[in-house]
């Protein structure tokens, strides 16, 4: 998708601080970190949002969650804990329409979110 900034990050056309990559996934540091560690985990496949995930994406959806786990372990977050967030749609606060999971850690995160 030429007009999608996350597709362009995956393609290397927009620079990013890569944290993890495999055949299906890409993870990189958020440009406006909301916590000491703030990484976005995305599928390379362009899926606009959680609501556009299809039955055929079932394996990929599982891979994303395991990818989040891999990145959390790689960054040493597993002991103290972390948060995984998916913003969906306008009221969910989604601003980039390529599905992504925020991995936040490195400080005590409050609940509920704003
Ligand atoms: P959301 O609001 O859930 O759609 O999250 C989009 C996230 O993408 C925000 O936290 C932005 O800071 C982040 N973001 C936008 N552009 C870039 C970029 N070029 N590199 C890294 N993170 C980005
Ligand atoms: Zn995309």
């Amino acid at each position: 998708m030429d007009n999608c900034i996350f597709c362009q990050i995956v393609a290397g056309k927009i620079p990013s601080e890569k944290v993890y990559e495999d055949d299906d996934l890409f993870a990189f540091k958020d440009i406006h970190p909301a916590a000491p560690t703030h990484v976005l985990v995305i599928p390379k496949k362009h899926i606009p949002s959680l609501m556009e995930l299809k039955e055929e994406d079932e394996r990929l959806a599982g891979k994303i969650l395991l990818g989040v786990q891999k990145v959390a372990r790689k960054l040493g977050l597993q002991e103290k804990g972390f948060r995984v967030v998916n913003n969906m749609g306008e009221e969910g606060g989604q601003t980039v329409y390529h599905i992504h999971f925020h991995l936040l850690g490195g400080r005590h995160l409050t609940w509920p979110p704003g």
Side-chain angles (χ1 to χ4, degrees), residues 21-43:
E21 180 176 13
D22 63 28
D23 287 349
D24 299 307
L25 306 181
F26 198 86
F28 55 101
K29 292 188 182 172
D30 196 293
I31 205 165
H32 294 125
T37 300
H38 187 172
V39 170
L40 301 173
V41 180
I42 70 172

Side-chain angles (χ1 to χ4, degrees), residues 15-82:
S16 71
E17 281 191 69
K18 183 168 82 174
V19 176
Y20 175 80
E21 180 176 13
D22 63 28
D23 287 349
D24 299 307
L25 306 181
F26 198 86
F28 55 101
K29 292 188 182 172
D30 196 293
I31 205 165
H32 294 125
T37 300
H38 187 172
V39 170
L40 301 173
V41 180
I42 70 172
K44 291 182 172 177
K45 178 181 177 184
H46 180 83
I47 299 169
S49 82
L50 187 65
M51 295 311 293
E52 265 94 6
L53 265 181
K54 304 225 170 16
E55 289 295 327
E56 72 204 39
D57 298 315
E58 186 175 349
R59 197 186 140 274
L60 180 60
K63 242 200 123 170
I64 293 170
L65 213 46
L66 289 169
V68 169
Q69 184 199 76
K70 282 195 185 105
V71 174
R73 191 176 290 120
K74 183 172 181 178
L75 299 177
L77 295 175
Q78 74 274 22
E79 264 184 28
K80 288 192 170 173
F82 55 87

Side-chain angles (χ1 to χ4, degrees), residues 1 3-8 10 42-48 96-99:
M1 300 291 274
N3 57 352
C4 170
I5 62 169
F6 286 0
C7 282
Q8 290 182 48
V10 169
I42 70 172
K44 291 182 172 177
K45 178 181 177 184
H46 180 83
I47 299 169
V96 176
Y97 281 80
H98 179 129
I99 191 171

